Amino acid sequence: FGIALLQRLLQDAPQAAVRYTELRESRWLAAPIESSGTLRSTPTMLEKRVEQPRPETWRILDDRMQVGTPGAVGAREIMLDQAPAAAALAQALRRVLAGELEALDKDFRLELSGDERQWTVQLTPRQEDVARHLKRIDLRGAGPRLSDMVILEAQGDRTTTRLIYTN
C-alpha cells in the first residue's frame, strides 16, 4: 500500500460535493469555533460554502483565494503568490480533495501509514517559509474516502475538518 495506490482509490471514488463540519481551535479564541457547510472540488477549483455560523463562500483557484459573503459587493481576493504559506495550504487542500496526492510531494513530505481499509497521511512542509506558519496536515480515511483533515499551524492553532458522505 503506497501513495500511488491511495491516489487511485481516491480518484476512483469522485465526489462532486460533500458536507463537512469544522472545528477551529486557537489560544486567541475564547472558545473553539464550529462551522459547517459543503465542500465542492473540481480539477481547477475548491469551493467551501459555509452555512453555519454565518454564510460565506471560499474559492481556491490556481492563483488566488476568493472570499465572498452574501450582500457584499464582489469577493475579497488573496493573491497566492504574495502569501507562500496560504498558497501551500490552499494548493494542498485542492489537491487532497481532488485525490492528487503525488503532486504534493514537491511541497510536502508525505508519510503514509495503515492499509487500504484505514489509512493516514501526514503532510509536512518542505519549504522553511511555509513551515514557519504551517506545521503539518494530517489526513485520515477509509478505503476511497477521506474522512478527516487536521491542519496544525506552527503557533499551535488547529483546524479539524470532518467530511460527511451521504451515499
Side-chain angles (χ1 to χ4, degrees):
F1 187 61
I3 293 294
L5 177 57
L6 178 56
Q7 177 170 294
R8 277 195 304 278
L9 280 172
L10 293 171
Q11 289 176 346
D12 287 348
Q15 187 77 16
V18 64
R19 303 274 313 150
Y20 77 90
T21 60
E22 192 166 85
L23 184 67
R24 173 100 172 126
E25 301 168 276
S26 171
R27 65 177 184 246
W28 305 108
L29 297 171
I33 296 174
E34 293 182 42
S35 62
S36 62
T38 304
L39 289 172
R40 187 170 62 91
S41 179
T42 72
T44 59
M45 184 245 346
L46 171 63
E47 181 180 81
K48 178 179 175 182
R49 287 189 179 265
V50 181
E51 297 165 3
Q52 299 292 326
R54 66 180 184 282
E56 63 184 8
T57 301
W58 293 72
R59 277 191 197 89
I60 301 172
L61 306 168
D62 280 333
D63 63 343
R64 71 193 71 205
M65 193 166 17
Q66 299 172 328
V67 182
T69 54
V73 177
R76 295 187 322 257
E77 288 193 338
I78 300 165
M79 300 308 294
L80 295 176
D81 63 353
Q82 298 171 10
L89 178 59
Q91 296 305 333
L93 294 176
R94 246 185 68 201
R95 293 193 184 284
V96 164
L97 289 168
E100 298 174 355
L101 299 180
E102 289 179 327
L104 294 170
D105 190 54
K106 177 181 163 241
D107 295 319
F108 293 90
R109 274 191 333 274
L110 282 69
E111 293 179 41
L112 172 65
S113 59
D115 59 27
E116 291 179 44
R117 292 178 312 249
Q118 292 283 121
W119 49 266
T120 61
V121 178
Q122 194 173 79
L123 306 173
T124 306
R126 292 186 185 276
Q127 282 79 34
E128 191 175 312
D129 59 339
V130 174
R132 278 196 300 270
H133 302 281
L134 178 63
K135 183 176 180 180
R136 75 174 189 267
I137 302 170
D138 295 336
L139 309 173
R140 287 187 294 271
R145 290 193 165 164
L146 173 67
S147 60
D148 297 281
M149 293 184 293
V150 181
I151 299 166
L152 301 165
E153 296 176 36
Q155 77 276 13
D157 291 6
R158 175 186 185 106
T159 303
T160 303
T161 305
R162 172 149 294 145
L163 304 180
I164 305 159
Y165 298 92
T166 55
N167 56 7

